[in-house]
Amino acid sequence: MRSTTRIRQQLAGTPPSAARRVVFSGIQPTGIPHIGNHLGALSKWQSLVKEQREKQLKDRLIFSVVGLHALTVPQDPKKLLRERRDMFSVLLALGLHDQAQEGLDITLFHQDMVPQHAELGWYLNCVTPVGRLLRMTSWKSKLASLRNANSEDEVDESLLQLGLLAYPVLQTADILLYKATHVPVGNDQTQHLELCRDLAESFNRQYPGQKWSSDGTKSKGKGKGAFRLPEVMLTDYPRIQSLRNPLSKMSKSSPNPSSVLFLTDSPSLIRSKLKSAVTDSIPGVTFDPVERPGVSNLLSIHSGYSGQTPSEICDRFSGERGIVEFKEELIEVVSEGLKGFREEFERIRREEGWVGEMERKGAEKAREFAEGTMREVRRAVGTA
Ligand code: TRP
């Protein structure tokens, strides 16, 4: 092999062929997820893995626990350490890890174990207009909630941390490092993905790099830039609401622990939390999020774990069979739906060493892809 060819291959890491998708997504290290997190992002990730297996696809799936993003708000070190380990263990138990022996190309890793994320983040910071970040909805809603929390209505914006403002730039780095073609995210992330595409484009334009001819040698003229523009895979998930107050989102930080159903809850906890879930006094079971938010929320949960549509479920509970029978079935559906996960999680919990090993291996694999891209970027920019 000519050395330039070898270098070029190293530069690009091992790029999958054009037909293969590279799917990248990330989740913050918030500890054990609740069913809202599961029915949202995580079950989508699981169905991507399932699809690979069933259709024998050869896409590259990359899932990351994004610890650096968690630092954009103050963290307690001990708690963070535990929560990033918990989230990683949950993702392992959900089957979102490397399964090369089955021909699946999956990488599960901690973003904070791969320094290239912060490195590319910096390169991208240097092509990002601050005005663009100040206009992000996520930034503006942070500001708004800070204003609400403060009794005085004046909040000094200049005291807010730079990292919080730059959050979407780091997210862009996550995606571009792996030359992702598809990014499954919820609605709230579309603006971040738009930024990602724009930054990739402006970076490519500003630093097109060198053109390479088909035999792997450098040829005259400009390249096309290091980055691919990723597509958003919008996942339209049901918003799961609190079991005690169906008008607000299910949230880990809720003061009432029975309002949140965690993935690791035992069958008896699942039973007691769902039994006491707030509904209403209207007879029967109907899906009407405005008039019957509690019942509708339970229907969304049922639907998420049974795969039946809310109207199919409602049909079975018309007439004599009411909310009590519906709740019984729901308890069964949720307990069953989480059974496999629960058993796997308990097994993993007893194997700390194995989890550590998976963390190390995942990071190593991610670092290899990431370093391939960074070499290209450094060359294009002139830092190597
Ligand atoms: N910002 C995302 C969220 O809060 C998490 C995230 C970080 C992410 N980096 C990413 C999602 C890259 C998709 C791709 O949900």
Side-chain angles (χ1 to χ4, degrees), residues 307-322:
Q308 298 161 16
T309 64
S311 81
E312 283 170 342
I313 302 161
C314 291
D315 282 350
R316 274 185 283 113
F317 294 95
S318 59
E320 289 299 287
R321 300 180 76 207

Side-chain angles (χ1 to χ4, degrees), residues 31-312:
I32 305 291
H34 56 63
I35 57 168
N37 307 130
H38 184 221
L39 294 178
L42 298 177
S43 67
K44 173 74 188 176
W45 296 7
Q46 286 180 289
S47 56
L48 284 163
V49 171
K50 193 163 158 230
E51 184 192 21
Q52 294 295 308
R53 191 173 285 128
E54 287 174 358
K55 300 189 185 158
Q56 304 198 337
L57 301 176
K58 295 279 172 246
D59 296 328
R60 173 170 291 165
L61 308 183
I62 307 175
F63 302 123
S64 184
V65 178
V66 293
L68 298 177
H69 280 101
L71 305 184
T72 56
V73 294
Q75 293 286 343
D76 167 42
K78 280 199 188 109
K79 186 160 164 268
L80 178 61
L81 193 65
R82 188 179 62 243
E83 296 197 324
R84 59 192 277 298
R85 170 57 73 99
D86 280 348
M87 180 58 82
F88 195 88
S89 306
V90 165
L91 300 184
L92 284 173
L94 290 172
L96 298 167
H97 52 84
D98 192 15
Q99 288 154 61
Q101 69 285 8
E102 286 187 59
L104 300 185
D105 184 354
I106 307 171
T107 308
L108 172 64
F109 75 104
H110 282 292
Q111 174 211 40
D112 48 30
M113 290 175 75
V114 180
Q116 284 83 355
H117 287 256
E119 185 183 2
L120 183 56
W122 181 255
Y123 281 80
L124 293 171
N125 278 337
C126 297
V127 299
T128 307
V130 174
R132 189 70 197 271
L133 298 177
L134 291 170
R135 284 197 301 275
M136 290 273 146
T137 329
S138 51
W139 172 255
K140 289 198 287 192
S141 63
K142 267 275 160 33
L143 265 186
S145 58
L146 213 79
R147 287 209 175 100
N148 286 338
N150 266 21
S151 43
E152 312 130 54
D153 39 12
E154 269 307 295
V155 171
D156 187 356
E157 240 178 274
S158 68
L159 294 179
L160 288 174
Q161 278 74 9
L162 177 59
L164 194 59
L165 183 63
Y167 179 110
V169 184
L170 181 60
Q171 181 166 353
T172 295
D174 297 342
I175 297 165
L176 298 184
L177 262 186
Y178 302 92
K179 304 193 189 236
T181 60
H182 293 80
V183 184
V185 283
N187 260 324
D188 60 327
Q189 298 290 317
T190 47
Q191 212 185 19
H192 290 171
L193 267 290
E194 266 165 43
L195 176 79
C196 173
R197 291 172 59 93
D198 291 348
L199 290 184
E201 232 172 3
S202 48
F203 198 93
N204 283 349
R205 211 177 317 114
Q206 194 169 339
Y207 300 111
Q210 190 85 42
K211 195 172 172 182
W212 298 88
S213 47
S214 54
D215 65 0
T217 54
K218 238 188 233 181
S219 69
K220 285 210 179 78
K222 282 187 188 144
K224 289 198 184 115
F227 299 129
R228 287 199 198 175
L229 305 200
E231 273 172 46
V232 189
M233 278 171 114
L234 255 198
T235 47
D236 205 4
Y237 14 88
R239 230 176 93 114
I240 302 300
Q241 307 289 89
S242 154
L243 298 176
R244 303 319 296 258
N245 173 14
L247 295 179
S248 69
K249 234 170 117 174
M250 183 175 282
S251 160
K252 196 186 154 110
S253 51
S254 158
N256 187 342
S258 62
S259 70
V260 192
L261 204 57
F262 291 100
L263 282 194
T264 50
D265 282 351
S266 66
S268 64
L269 261 181
I270 294 176
R271 166 164 292 273
S272 66
K273 288 182 181 178
L274 289 177
K275 274 241 152 175
S276 63
V278 168
T279 53
D280 54 42
S281 52
I282 303 168
V285 180
T286 48
F287 189 74
D288 183 346
V290 177
E291 294 295 326
R292 308 190 69 184
V295 175
S296 304
N297 187 39
L298 297 182
L299 278 163
S300 298
I301 296 171
H302 188 308
S303 172
Y305 285 105
S306 65
Q308 298 161 16
T309 64
S311 81
E312 283 170 342

